[in-house]
Every structure is written in structure tokens, then in C-alpha cells.
Amino acid sequence: MYDIVVVGAGTAGLSAAIYGVRAGKSVLVLEGTSYGGQIINTPEIENYPAIKKTSGFEFATDLFNQAKDLGAKVKYEKVVSISLKGNIKKVQTDKETYDAKAVILATGAKNRPLGLPNEKKLVGSGVSYCATCDGMFYRGKAVAVNGGGNTAIEDATFLANVASKVYVIHRRDEFRAEEAVVVALKKKDNVEFVLNSNIVEIKEESFAVSGVVVEDKNTHEKRELAVDGLFVAIGQVPDNNAFADVVELDKAGYIVAGEDCKTKTEGIFAAGDGRTKEVRQLVTAAGDGAVSGIAAAKYCEAL
Ligand code: NAP
């Protein structure tokens, strides 16, 4: 039996693990894919207090090592369900069942797909959701980035240093991204903004992306942009259906929890981007880690 099982090894989950072990609790972190969560794919972080500049990979790796060095155990197993037996939480993974006094759900969110017919099949052949992972394959080539949030704008800035041409396709003419990153992108002379436009088709040749067709929302005019790569950065969607029996989910699938990270079930907490919240930032994910880690430790002590 563990005191605390944390589901998800992103910023919120690893921060929760740090607070849990430092409160003297046994902590198991379960992660379905790889540590780091969304931030591991961010080329540059410049808005985390006291860290002027770092990469998402460096940030996530430091955080991961910090949690492990302090005593958190990490296992790569996907959690498929959680059930209750009195006060005990039974966490079922694709391999085993773990008993815990408290559970922290820090499941974050996954990349939202565009939903175009050949998008899935072209992943790895021109379609990507991660500029830092795949950008280097497009050295000297033309690429498109779709989206107007921080991820899209930061990805486009990163790609502008590698690719010959970067089209930034966004469905509005205003950006959701922070002003500072938009200003930095606008300084790049190989970037073209295609605004008020949606991608309506991904063109392929020999099983690889050869272009995208964009449609202007106002004029309905369509044009084809010849690109070898399409980076989709249109936000995230939560993935919490496995926990629907023990927590309440809102219409969009986020776990209903307030700033205290408490869910409808005592001893089950939700932290980070996967819960209902106003501001989804690295620093708020880390903050949720602290809140939920301390609350879970206190819950264990009161049992
Ligand atoms: P986001 O802020 O939710 O932005 C998603 C973008 O995609 C928006 O511009 C949205 O357009 C567009 N979009 C959504 N659905 C679409 C669709 N079906 N078709 C076309 N466009 C669509 O997502 P994000 O950029 O991935 O960022 C997620 C969170 O992480 C944000 O809070 C962000 O600030 C944070 N983040 C922080 C950092 C950092 O701190 N360095 C880095 C990356 C991300 P509309 O604007 O029209 O809605």
C-alpha cells in the first residue's frame, strides 16, 4: 500500500510527488508514456519565476530527477480505472493494481487533432504535434504551423530558425499567445501569417505531406500552400474518462475541482491542466502540485 499514488508525471504530478515525499509519505507516480507532460515539447520557457530561460526538456528532466532523488517511485504503466474500497483507493493499471490512501490525478491533456481525414495516417510523414521533436527534419524546407496560442507561436519561432519558410495559419486575426512571443515571431523574415483561415485539406504525395489547403473564413477563397510539414498546435483536450466513476467531469471532460484541488471523492485530488481552472500555465501546474501534495499528505495523516 502506498500513501499517495500520483497519476501523471508532468509538472503538476511531479511537483505533487515532491511535496508528498517531503511530507514523509510513500509516493508512487504512474505515467502511461514518458515523464514531462506537455512542457517537455516547449522549445523555450521564459515565464517561470526565477528561471530566466530554459528549455522544456531541461525543466522536465530536472523536475523528474528532483522527484526521484527525493524518494518518489515512478512506474510506466497506464491507469485504466480507479475504484474505492472504503477509504482505500484501488488504482488499476494495464499491468497491476495498487492500493493507496490518497490519489492525485495530474493527467494533463493531450494534443487536439485537426480531425482531417488523412491527418492520423500522415503522423510521422509530415504531420507533427511537436516542433522540438520533429523540427530538425525540416531543415531548409517549408512548413506550416496551425494555431494562435503560446505553443503555436513558440513552435513557429523555433521552426523559423530551421525551415526555409514558415506559414502560421490561425483561424482569427488576434492571437491567444502572450504579446512578447508574437512580437518575437513577427521579427522573423521567413514567416508568413495566414490569418482568419482554416486548414480544410492536407495534400499528400507518395504517402507524405506535400501541402495544405487553407480557406479564408471571410471570403471563402481557398489556396494551396506547398509545405513538407504541418505542425498542429491547436490546444489540448483532457483524457479523464477512466476516472469518471470517482470524480465529476465537466462537459469538456475536465475534472471538476477548485483551487484546493479537491474532487467529489475524499482523498482523490486533481492537479494541473486536467482540472477545471482559469489559468493553465507551468507555474499554476506546479502550484497545484504543492496544494494537492500537501492536502493528500494531510488526508493520509487524518485516516
Ligand atoms: P491554447 O492556448 O488553447 O491555444 C490553442 C489555439 O488553437 C488557439 O489559438 C485556438 O484558436 C486554436 N484552435 C483551437 N481549436 C482549433 C481548431 N479546431 N481549429 C483551428 N484552430 C483551433 O493552446 P496552447 O497554445 O497549446 O497552450 C495551452 C496552454 O499552455 C495555454 O495556457 C498556454 O499559455 C500554455 N503554454 C505555456 C507556455 C509557456 O509558458 N512557455 C508554452 C506553451 C503553452 P482561438 O484563439 O481562436 O481559440
Side-chain angles (χ1 to χ4, degrees):
M1 158 106 75
Y2 286 92
D3 290 323
I4 303 170
V5 166
V6 178
V7 185
T11 302
L14 292 172
S15 303
I18 288 172
Y19 275 84
V21 287
R22 282 175 58 84
K25 303 299 162 217
S26 58
V27 177
L28 170 67
V29 180
L30 294 169
E31 166 60 56
T33 52
S34 54
Y35 74 83
Q38 289 170 58
I39 203 64
I40 205 160
N41 297 326
T42 297
E44 268 180 8
I45 301 166
E46 287 186 343
N47 58 2
Y48 195 87
I51 298 178
K52 271 179 119 175
K53 194 180 253 188
T54 188
S55 70
F57 181 77
E58 203 176 338
F59 180 91
T61 304
D62 284 349
L63 181 57
F64 177 71
N65 288 331
Q66 189 180 1
K68 281 209 3 170
D69 291 351
L70 284 166
K73 205 164 177 185
V74 181
K75 289 191 181 186
Y76 292 98
E77 296 177 29
K78 188 171 169 51
V79 176
V80 292
S81 70
I82 296 177
S83 57
L84 304 172
K85 199 172 174 203
N87 282 329
I88 304 304
K89 285 85 194 164
K90 291 195 149 321
V91 183
Q92 172 78 50
T93 74
D94 47 5
K95 292 197 181 108
E96 262 185 67
T97 305
Y98 299 95
D99 286 354
K101 292 177 187 165
V103 169
I104 299 172
L105 298 171
T107 44
K110 59 182 183 185
N111 294 316
R112 174 182 284 126
L114 270 167
L116 291 169
N118 50 356
E119 178 182 359
K120 220 173 177 178
K121 124 180 159 196
L122 291 170
V123 172
S125 303
V127 172
S128 171
Y129 301 86
C130 176
T132 38
C133 318
D134 302 329
M136 290 305 167
F137 299 123
Y138 298 91
R139 187 167 290 284
K141 296 180 174 177
V143 297
V145 177
N146 193 203
N150 268 342
T151 304
I153 302 304
E154 288 176 13
D155 283 0
T157 309
F158 174 79
L159 289 164
N161 296 329
V162 177
S164 58
K165 171 102 189 173
V166 179
Y167 294 98
V168 177
I169 302 158
H170 178 37
R171 65 183 177 184
R172 290 190 296 143
D173 58 3
E174 280 177 2
F175 296 99
R176 195 175 283 273
E178 289 166 44
E179 180 69 12
V181 289
V182 177
V183 168
L185 181 63
K186 283 183 175 166
K187 287 187 186 147
K188 305 276 182 192
D189 53 17
N190 58 342
V191 172
E192 184 178 329
F193 291 90
V194 183
L195 302 179
N196 291 315
S197 298
N198 283 315
I199 297 177
V200 290
E201 191 183 342
I202 305 171
K203 290 279 183 191
E204 60 173 293
E205 251 177 52
S206 314
F207 308 109
V209 170
S210 61
V212 290
V213 178
V214 290
E215 181 176 341
D216 187 297
K217 277 167 67 184
N218 300 325
T219 63
H220 300 292
E221 216 172 275
K222 286 183 188 173
R223 69 169 166 136
E224 185 177 334
L225 309 172
V227 293
D228 295 299
L230 167 62
F231 289 84
V232 180
I234 58 168
Q236 283 81 35
V237 280
D239 188 10
N240 292 319
N241 290 339
F243 320 119
D245 288 344
V246 286
V247 295
E248 188 188 341
L249 303 182
D250 75 358
K251 260 206 265 171
Y254 291 98
I255 299 167
V256 176
E259 292 302 306
D260 59 6
C261 296
K262 288 184 177 167
T263 69
K264 73 166 189 184
T265 303
E266 263 197 68
I268 299 186
F269 303 87
D273 283 7
R275 76 164 174 91
T276 47
K277 66 192 314 201
E278 276 291 312
V279 181
R280 292 192 170 87
Q281 288 289 306
L282 196 53
V283 67
T284 58
D288 272 14
V291 172
S292 60
I294 292 168
K298 278 189 180 157
Y299 173 81
C300 293
E301 273 154 29
L303 275 184

